[in-house]
Amino acid sequence: MVELGTQSDRGVSQLRCIGCGEIALPDRFRCEHCRDLLEIVYPGWQERGAGGLTPPELKKLWDSRRSSLDPLDQSGVWRFREVLPEIAAQQVITVREGNTPVYELPHGSRSAGVKQLYVKHQGMNPTGSFKDTGMTVAASFARQAGYRWVACASTGNTSASMAAYAARGGLHSLVLIPHGKISWSKLSQSLDYGAITCQLKTDFDGCVRVLNEVVERMPVYLLNSVNPYRVEGQKTAAVELLEHFSWEPPDHIVVPGGNLANSSAIGKGLGEMRQLGFISRLPKISVIQAEGANPLVRTVREARGEQLVPVHAETMATAIRIGNPASWKKALRVIRESGGTVEQVSEIEIALAKAEIGAEGIGCEPASAVTLAGLKKLVKQGFVKPNESVVLVLTGHVLKDSEYTLKFHRGDLFAGTGTGLDEGSERLKTQQRSPLSLEPNVDAVIELLRSAEN
Ligand code: F0G
């Protein structure tokens, strides 16, 4: 048995293969026997509960930390450290991630046809995406394990987050991103936070292939989402969500799917909360992909989930432009155990849903908007019932891809894409709010106001 840290009152975690169940060394990513992914498990929980505490005791403890000034308590991830792997407090790299808001979407609930619709906005994390919640755990582990270098392949958000946490933790970081296929804001973040940033003339899946070899040959710690510590941090979004709803789970949680780690993480968090006795039933977890980047949908529909159907991915929601998702088995397990489903949405559905979320004063990046677009389909199919409660997980901040937003409102998002969609499309026009040019003249502005009121 390999222990990740010293035995403490929190109990010991282990790294275990999701395929054959073999226990692995703490800094591995794949099983040495069957090459499947690894996950962190907590054998001690069965006897003693997490941290040796009961759910009521843990709820009280986690709640009391909200008023603490300790950086660990102020983190919406480390506040729940009893359900995380053991990492020494002085090794923890935190930028006060987590603690993200839950908002109601009154217009969205009407347009989707459900009574209670909420978003958990993970884009409100320090670097603007959900990646921070996982990065704090995995980067801290890297530091504790003595690594000087960390690296990731990314569609932009992981790299922004990794660069920030590496910088805060005194680590060097290497970023591999697909040339010309990530948003400028995300690229600018990794430059600003000081990462060595390489644009490779390939797609995300190609970047992953290169990086996997680099980390084999160099003492560099991999911070892609196959990293099991990232999943542990990301699962706390589910704990936070349950706490927000006074431990009464919603009926459905809808998550965007790219490399499929986030859906896995949220499912893991919920499963553990049930195992520990915090909740008695699981929300149904459904994963939505873009039509042009739909390997999970095809895997379920064409291969009954038995083997991955990789695709050549193409979507303007560049964060989820992924054709060969590493965590597909983990995500499928979560979808099956919770009774959820998979669905795909078109580029126009994504664009419209994004504009709707924006018009509610919330906003998100395109990849996050697949959730609302997908929900609409799930309601139409009868999978989500009108009286059920639904939480959409918004994964990235609206400012992550302002170029997309501007193009949409100006009416040229689909120009030259061969989709036949342009500013003339009536469906798009309903949501477009293009900037107006006026003379610097009071009457002209007042005239405009009057016409807007009608
Ligand atoms: N939403 C956003 C905004 C993302 O950045 C990603 C993934 C996802 C959804 C999908 O999450 O991969 O866990 O299924 N972005 C990764 C990156 C791949 O490199 O930033 P997933």
Side-chain angles (χ1 to χ4, degrees), residues 40 42 83-85 228-236 268:
I40 293 179
Y42 303 86
V83 294
L84 293 175
Y229 297 89
R230 280 196 43 207
V231 171
E232 292 309 287
Q234 284 174 213
K235 82 182 181 190
T236 60
K268 187 172 192 283

Side-chain angles (χ1 to χ4, degrees), residues 31 46 55 101 178 203 214 231 260 296 298 315 370 433 438 451-452:
C31 175
Q46 275 195 330
D203 56 9
V214 172
V231 171
L260 299 172
L296 185 68
R298 294 190 58 180
T315 169
V370 301
R433 300 170 280 276
L438 281 187
S451 64

